[in-house]
Amino acid sequence: MSDDAGPGSHDPSCEADDHSELLSTLDAHDLAVSVTPDEATDGDGFDFDATADPAETFPQSVASGGPTPTGVILWTRLAPAVFDGGTVGVEVATDEDFGNVVYSGVIADDQRIRSHDYTVKVDLDGQLASNREYHYRFVYDGVASRTGRCRTLPRPDESPESVRFAVLACQNYHNGYYPAFHRVAEEDVDFIVHVGDSIYESNDERFAGPYTDDYDRGTSLPSGHERVQGLADYRYLYRTYRSDEFYQAALESHTLIVSWDDHEFVDDFYWDDRRDAPAGNHPRGDDPEFMTDLVADAMHAWWEYMPARVEYDPEGDSLQERFRLWRDFAFGDLVTLVMTDERLFRDPPREAIPTVDNVGPHREPPGRTMLGEEQREWLIETIAGSESLWTVWADEVLTVPFRLGSGPLSVYPVQGGWDGYTRERQRITEAIAAADVDNYVTLTGDMHCYVAAYQQSSYPGRVSGGAGVAPGERIGVEFMTPAITSLNIAEALRLTRGWRGRLTESLLTWLVTKMNPHIEFFDSHNWGYSVVEFTREDCTYVGYAVDKTTDAPDAERSVVAAYRTPEGVVDLEDVTDEYRE
């Protein structure tokens, strides 16, 4: 093996990568693409009993997503015991009392509703005005759902003064309660951006923490196994997660822009080029036929339960032509938001210990990738060509290097992030630096931490291809959103409670920032969410902690950190005290 290839590496550029077996398997799936409702007539009837309990008919409530300047996707699910055919109505109004209904339609495809686990997804693109808030509801058999609130995008030629995102990630149902979602529902934000791990594919304690037994959040997969085995298990998990009242409140209140990470499939999901099959941390992860079926089932269930606008061409010859999770959103001329798929085209993890010498780009073969060539070049072109004031990459995993240790004794433990794909990161970073992109921001998740950091053209040491100690030019900033509930570093070490938490929280922050000079702030002792606002003057990140041990709307909330980046300047200003007042 050559030195350039590096320990434990293989050259993916020499392997098949057409995803042909997954494409063939997906051909057998009737994926839940959104439908356009039929026009409502006077005889359709949207009358309902205002005293009826909506939860009995719509047990997972409602949600909206996939915004465009002229519409959104609306979602609900009907209770199987209640649904007996007939039409499902949908109404959209400019006011909460539905005094000014601007759209009404009906869905009458009984078979389709039943075949997709009684979920309903309707596409209203072309029906609504831009940059507007609307209220909506579904009606079935004289019962109305709870009222949802949705928002359309500004037109590309509009100039909004601001846009606010609630940024979310990593919500293991077993490992805590969801009061953070209640706080998100109350936030004055325009959209929710979810960067992945909206379910966890396990019924056991593999992803649990030392205090998981404190929560009454048990589940039982239909297959009887502890890890997902197929479509019925994935559907069960989505139904269970979406049964939480606080999660429902957040999705009722704000329109969702969503991606996926590994746990929507299996832990550490990647693509095995040698076998042209998915693989990952699953008891049958080395069985290509099983894993191909499992990933197809995971995609099927995700599409049923997520109101996502994803490009789908059933006639496409390759997976890239058939299905594209990667996409971009324009919020007028203020923000371009880019979302990527970092799982379906990801090469296997490194086999070598991630030491300073082993993680450099020179240790990786040229074809090694997280995104795949087509998606990577699209990402670079989209970011480099953005004409918006702010250009934002919603990247599911940590983008900047993360080192533990000092000098040659250091390791880079987050190999599921871009430290595991340093050659491709270098290609992306150098292209963005060369394009001189102004006001570049990455929003990340996956690591279950709060991070405020600088994106740089290079970093000290060999992790970005250099050998010296001088940092490169600052080209942007990164903000990581914490986990809603999932296990973080401090909890895994039993350091989050009592005197241990008080003593170690600031110590861990100090250690990580000293080891990583480009990281201005780090916290792994709390859970919650973040709000990121973009204006003509600046970008502001506020990371909130919400007590996941309390299953109540008044669970304690506090500000962990707040940072502001002025327009036109790559600088992180600590404004935490301003938000704690």
Side-chain angles (χ1 to χ4, degrees):
M1 180 178 296
S2 69
D3 180 67
D4 286 344
S9 301
H10 73 279
D11 185 353
S13 64
C14 299
E15 307 292 343
D17 188 23
D18 59 6
H19 295 63
S20 58
E21 290 301 322
L22 179 58
L23 280 173
S24 177
T25 303
L26 286 172
D27 284 339
H29 286 252
D30 174 24
L31 296 179
V33 295
S34 303
V35 299
T36 301
D38 297 326
E39 185 176 349
T41 66
D42 292 340
D44 286 324
F46 284 85
D47 294 335
F48 59 89
D49 179 0
T51 66
D53 182 4
E56 293 184 0
T57 300
F58 303 94
Q60 278 74 34
S61 194
V62 298
S64 66
T68 71
T70 60
V72 292
I73 293 171
L74 302 181
W75 180 96
T76 192
R77 181 175 180 271
L78 294 154
V82 170
F83 184 69
D84 191 29
T87 60
V88 180
V90 58
E91 288 185 307
V92 182
T94 58
D95 61 307
E96 192 172 8
D97 295 328
F98 288 80
N100 181 35
V101 174
V102 296
Y103 178 85
S104 59
V106 294
I107 304 96
D109 192 338
D110 298 3
Q111 182 178 354
R112 186 173 187 79
I113 292 172
R114 289 190 173 94
S115 66
H116 288 298
D117 205 27
Y118 298 87
T119 60
V120 178
K121 286 170 61 176
V122 299
D123 190 352
L124 300 188
D125 190 27
Q127 302 295 333
L128 306 176
S130 66
N131 201 23
R132 283 287 305 269
E133 180 180 280
Y134 291 93
H135 301 268
Y136 67 94
R137 64 190 176 200
F138 290 86
V139 179
Y140 177 71
D141 196 25
V143 179
S145 70
R146 290 203 288 271
T147 296
R149 188 172 61 214
C150 63
R151 175 174 285 277
T152 55
L153 296 179
R155 296 189 313 271
D157 61 351
E158 290 186 271
S159 297
E161 288 301 311
S162 67
V163 63
R164 286 168 57 88
F165 300 132
V167 188
L168 311 179
C170 307
Q171 55 197 64
N172 189 344
Y173 184 83
H174 298 98
N175 203 50
Y177 299 117
Y178 282 173
F181 279 116
H182 174 75
R183 296 292 189 172
V184 169
E186 295 182 325
E187 286 283 355
D188 180 19
V189 296
D190 298 304
F191 300 93
I192 290 174
V193 174
H194 200 303
V195 293
D197 290 346
S198 57
I199 62 167
Y200 278 66
E201 77 287 7
S202 173
N203 193 46
D204 61 14
E205 297 184 357
R206 170 171 289 275
F207 310 113
Y211 310 112
T212 296
D213 289 342
D214 294 352
Y215 312 111
D216 184 20
R217 305 280 268 185
T219 57
S220 180
L221 297 177
S223 66
H225 290 263
E226 293 181 341
R227 306 287 287 278
V228 288
Q229 301 294 308
L231 181 59
D233 287 346
Y234 284 117
R235 283 172 165 173
Y236 166 80
L237 288 170
Y238 281 109
R239 290 196 302 267
T240 301
Y241 279 55
R242 294 281 273 272
S243 68
D244 184 277
E245 62 176 321
F246 299 143
Y247 189 17
Q248 289 180 6
L251 297 183
E252 291 163 6
S253 301
H254 308 297
T255 294
L256 180 66
I257 299 172
V258 63
S259 188
W260 60 36
D261 197 18
D262 55 340
H263 289 290
E264 285 87 352
F265 300 90
V266 299
D267 182 38
D268 290 338
F269 168 49
Y270 63 89
W271 196 263
D272 185 342
D273 297 308
R274 296 181 186 276
R275 297 186 294 187
D276 193 27
N281 183 6
H282 187 280
R284 297 183 64 182
D286 59 353
D287 180 341
E289 183 176 355
F290 172 84
M291 288 299 295
T292 299
D293 289 339
L294 190 67
V295 165
D297 286 341
M299 294 173 68
H300 186 133
W302 185 88
W303 219 326
E304 286 176 338
Y305 278 84
M306 288 296 173
R309 187 178 303 279
V310 177
E311 184 177 330
Y312 177 68
D313 178 4
E315 304 302 320
D317 293 330
S318 68
L319 189 61
Q320 292 94 329
E321 294 176 358
R322 180 82 60 91
F323 175 91
R324 285 195 181 188
L325 183 70
W326 30 291
R327 61 218 194 271
D328 61 291
F329 300 82
F331 300 83
D333 65 357
L334 182 63
V335 174
T336 292
L337 176 69
V338 183
M339 304 197 78
T340 44
D341 175 1
E342 298 173 4
R343 289 295 164 181
L344 281 179
F345 308 102
R346 170 188 290 247
D347 283 324
R350 282 194 183 96
E351 297 175 8
I353 297 172
T355 62
V356 172
D357 284 335
N358 286 340
V359 298
H362 65 292
R363 290 292 196 178
E364 292 188 328
R368 181 169 164 76
T369 181
M370 183 191 292
L371 301 177
E373 181 179 359
E374 183 177 349
Q375 182 181 195
R376 181 186 65 243
E377 296 309 306
W378 167 86
L379 171 69
I380 292 171
E381 180 180 341
T382 303
I383 292 176
S386 171
E387 296 181 356
S388 300
L389 186 62
W390 298 91
T391 302
V392 184
W393 179 14
D395 180 2
E396 296 105 85
V397 298
L398 182 70
T399 309
V400 301
F402 184 81
R403 181 180 69 179
L404 292 180
S406 178
L409 300 179
S410 302
V411 294
Y412 291 83
V414 189
Q415 289 296 290
W418 283 98
D419 279 350
Y421 300 82
T422 52
R423 182 185 284 268
E424 187 168 47
R425 177 172 63 189
Q426 182 182 35
R427 164 83 177 98
I428 295 168
T429 301
E430 289 179 347
I432 293 172
D436 197 21
V437 177
D438 291 330
N439 302 320
Y440 171 53
V441 179
T442 49
L443 303 178
T444 58
D446 178 67
M447 196 174 159
H448 311 169
C449 302
Y450 305 74
V451 172
Y454 288 107
Q455 294 274 358
Q456 296 176 181
S457 57
S458 63
Y459 300 86
R462 307 186 77 180
V463 69
S464 58
V469 296
E473 175 190 3
R474 291 175 177 175
I475 64 171
V477 297
E478 175 154 339
F479 298 121
M480 176 174 284
T481 200
I484 294 283
T485 56
S486 300
L487 181 70
N488 61 25
I489 296 170
E491 185 181 33
L493 298 174
R494 297 178 180 267
L495 298 177
T496 57
R497 299 187 176 185
W499 66 268
R500 291 183 180 89
R502 293 189 295 273
L503 176 66
T504 60
E505 184 171 352
S506 59
L507 177 60
L508 187 58
T509 298
W510 180 82
L511 285 171
V512 169
T513 54
K514 286 297 182 183
M515 295 173 190
N516 300 272
H518 56 284
I519 295 180
E520 286 288 300
F521 180 81
F522 176 88
D523 177 274
S524 187
H525 276 68
N526 295 283
W527 299 264
Y529 64 97
S530 62
V531 172
V532 182
E533 180 177 22
F534 298 90
T535 72
R536 299 280 160 186
E537 292 76 35
D538 49 47
C539 163
T540 304
Y541 160 90
V542 184
Y544 292 99
V546 182
D547 181 9
K548 69 171 185 174
T549 68
T550 303
D551 192 16
D554 60 351
E556 182 180 356
R557 188 188 78 158
S558 60
V559 173
V560 176
Y563 281 83
R564 180 170 294 140
T565 296
E567 190 278 322
V569 182
V570 185
D571 187 39
L572 289 166
E573 301 175 357
D574 187 345
V575 293
T576 305
D577 290 342
E578 177 181 331
Y579 284 84
R580 284 179 175 167
E581 293 176 354

